[in-house]
Amino acid sequence: MTNPEHKRKSLSTPEPEEPTTQPQSNYVTPRGKKQKPSVVIQDKGQPPSSADIRTPTIQRSGTSRAYSSRLSTTEHILTERHAEAHDHYERRLDKDDDSILSLTEPLDRKLKGIAEEIIEKAALFMESYLRTVSANSGESADGMSDAIKPRPDSPMQLSNTPTDPSMSTQRADNTSDNSALLKEKLDEANKWISWTSSSKEKNMYGPIGAFIKYVALVVKEKLTSLADPSSGNGRGCRLVLPSTKSDYNPPDADDTMRIDMGLVGAKINSPVEANNGRVLYYKVIAVLEAKRKGDDDGFRDAFEQLDIYTRQMYQQQHNLRFAWGITVSGTHVRVCHFGPNRAKSSRLMDISKPEGRKAFIKVLVHWSLCEESQLGRDPTMEYLRDLKCWQIACPDEAGSMGEGADVKYYYFTTVSCQADRLFGRHTRCFLATDIRPTAVISDNNPLRPKFVIKDSWAFSKRNASEDTRDEVRSLEKVKVCLLAKAAERDIIIPKIEVGGRVSFMRNGGWIEDNTDTLYGRGKLVTDKAGDVSGLGELAEDNADTVRGPGKLAEDNADDVNEPGEARSDDDLYFRAHRRIVMEPIGEPLRSTTSVAEFVTVVCDVMRCHNAFVNDCGILHRDISPNNILVFRGADGIARGMLIDLDCAIDIDQEKREKREGRVKRKEMTGTLPYMSINNLSGSLVEHTSLDDWESMLCVICWFATLGTISGKRRGDEELAELPIAAWRQESTAKMLTAKSYAFDTPKLFKSTIVNHFKPEGVAGSTGDKSDKIGGGTVGKPDENELLKRLAISIHKCLFQNRRLSPDCYGTFEKPKHVELERRDLSFEELESDELESDELDGLTSASLPMVNPFKERAEKCETISKQLLEIVDKYWKYAMALQK
């Protein structure tokens, strides 16, 4: 689904309501998530501040899931997201956890005291006024606090602090007007407080907004009396205000869903009644979703919609570490916290009761006075107003940012990869330079990126020195082992500049940014005096376990690349915020312009993969389009580069642990549509380089079916009718069945996959010229034939290899040394439950031991891998010649 184009705005104009655009960058970065169009960050005339939290404008040129393997019709996207949201509600939500409410308590002691004062005054004023209204109307006041007596003759004065005349210019509302406005907002909010489920949902929006504005007025009354007149920003505090527009589709959304209300941060001297229109996802602090019924169904429906909206926040806000949200079901309010692994919701706050109203006031006040990092923003990223670009801090050496480690700053205006899932690594990539601009960035003076900065939340061990699967460590090993050999081997490898775990300053010391920190258990690296201190003790380390097949089969995520589930007592998995700077910058696999370019790139990648295994002892384990980049040198020839070592393992380390008896359960890693059959099945056969070769075969088949030439690919509807579309099934079991069927025999592989390759490329010749491909002399084929032969050659080497016994041919287990009259079963038969009885009775007899074809292949992995390398070497040379 393509968003409408928006007219170009001047960099000096006030901030528009809708996004502006710039020409799209061709650059794409190493990363571990789905590829997204570039995001060009433009200045809007009002750069981010502590009270105006903003993220960049998004430019889109394609579908919401703009990476080439996704069937991305609008209907498919929304269906998938609703299914994911329901799954998250059932399996990823921890309910009634009020510990999240303490995460936004002001860290500064003085501000904490001010917050308590504001909460008490706001609650007291509200209860006093509501009792007055109730008494004057003759209604029962049973719901009101007995401790609060009606005071109809008392002045509605909120603050006891005399107004400083010097502050009058900073106030949008004077004291008397403020008192009238407070009562006006409470009159409107009372409609929500006395809500009945028989009313229409749309009638809730105004009263809910009035409640929030009432709290903002109280916060403003206090903070403007304390603010430094020279700063005018309330010491970094903010007013939390609702969007003026309710029930709307944000202009930067990639779907058609309408949010009920967006909450934004405004400077404390901003008018509470300012018209902020349809607030974009990149500006909201939180989304509020309301349902008229106050039962469990109302909360479930509100949460599932909030789940979908919050993923949009992650996608649009490149500096968002975690997210907040609010559900309203009738008079029941719940605060929701979305971390990298799970969501948590507070116990309900019933605003029909005094204690519930005060609890919600407390939430809004804390959100107004806390640090931006407590709202989820990344304190290591800063918008430079004078230069109109972003500054991002990175460790200047391998390790962590913090005491004793230098910090190096980089500058960027373009985001080439967005985090577009609610849970996971939230990988983002920025195209940056290490040279600070000397003049304002503009069309005439663009920023020229030299590096890719990959920012992600990867599963890790708490002790960084013991984290053998750290991508920084793997990249450093690649640099040491291959950098000097890369030119001689004629391969392109990613080169790391710096990288490590992200830390930031808090309470006078450096604190590492990880999931412990997100939940208030973070530990300061050191304070100014060198003493260890912090916000609480770290949870105890737990040995990494791994995801079993049963749990994985239920997952809806495309990326199942997690090395294991390190569980603490509250079922959180430990992730560390990691940032890596590397080069060169490349383009996505979908950018190839000919079959010859595509073949060159995929063969290059497997040549690089072979070097990783044999020279570095690193097994990649996540071959997918997302992790393949196209690099073009000065000669313009397309070359391939393998990136993203988040899932990679140190082969030697794994062997040592195995010898020492530290046996681990089977891991399932990779990107689902491209995972090997052995991997998908949850087999106990170890993951070897052959699994990566099979993943590359899947990539080749997918692109050959979809089309390898940019701009000339099949549409979603046409692709959905082909057998390969089953690889995109939401059920892992269905993916497994489809692949096992398609790859079992050469006949099935050709009929279900190869025969559906998209005809494209340059027609061949049958004249005098001949070339050698795959060891045989043939007439020069057309480019489409080149792809078919490459796919068939790899398939034959993997599944019909003559160096294996016939029992190991194909994809299914079969009796050992027994000649069977085999027939090709239809895809429908393989899915049918009836297949478990008559068809397989003779094959599963206890008298006939069954052979797992993947086990023998794993044992002969080295031999088969050499054969596969010979194949791609020959096709690589041929495709390179075609490019020249």
Side-chain angles (χ1 to χ4, degrees), residues 171-229:
R171 297 191 180 199
D173 313 292
N174 61 40
T175 303
S176 59
D177 290 341
N178 198 43
S179 179
L181 195 54
L182 286 168
K183 290 186 284 185
E184 176 187 324
K185 296 306 172 189
L186 285 177
D187 283 337
E188 179 69 12
N190 197 27
K191 298 176 184 178
W192 178 34
I193 294 170
S194 56
W195 180 260
T196 60
S197 59
S198 60
S199 303
K200 294 182 179 179
E201 180 184 308
K202 66 179 182 180
N203 295 334
M204 300 176 68
Y205 305 149
I208 293 173
F211 190 106
I212 297 170
K213 288 180 180 179
Y214 163 76
V215 177
L217 284 167
V218 181
V219 170
K220 181 178 181 179
E221 173 78 15
K222 181 65 177 179
L223 292 186
T224 39
S225 67
L226 300 173
D228 179 0

Side-chain angles (χ1 to χ4, degrees), residues 76-88:
H76 177 90
I77 292 170
L78 291 178
T79 299
E80 181 186 75
R81 289 181 179 178
H82 280 290
E84 269 192 356
H86 180 71
D87 179 72
H88 293 164

Side-chain angles (χ1 to χ4, degrees), residues 114 131 220 244 331 348 364 384 481 620 646 658 668 749 785:
I114 293 172
R131 287 184 68 89
K220 181 178 181 179
T244 307
T331 60
L348 68 87
L364 295 172
L384 303 180
C481 297
H620 190 277
D646 267 343
K658 189 174 181 179
M668 303 179 72
F749 182 60
E785 190 67 21

Side-chain angles (χ1 to χ4, degrees), residues 243-278:
S243 55
T244 307
K245 182 74 174 177
S246 57
D247 188 27
Y248 69 95
N249 178 242
D252 57 346
D254 67 3
D255 57 29
T256 57
M257 296 191 67
R258 305 168 71 88
I259 69 174
D260 288 341
M261 191 179 298
L263 303 186
V264 296
K267 294 181 179 180
I268 64 166
N269 58 355
S270 301
V272 171
E273 295 296 337
N275 187 344
N276 54 29
R278 296 186 301 162

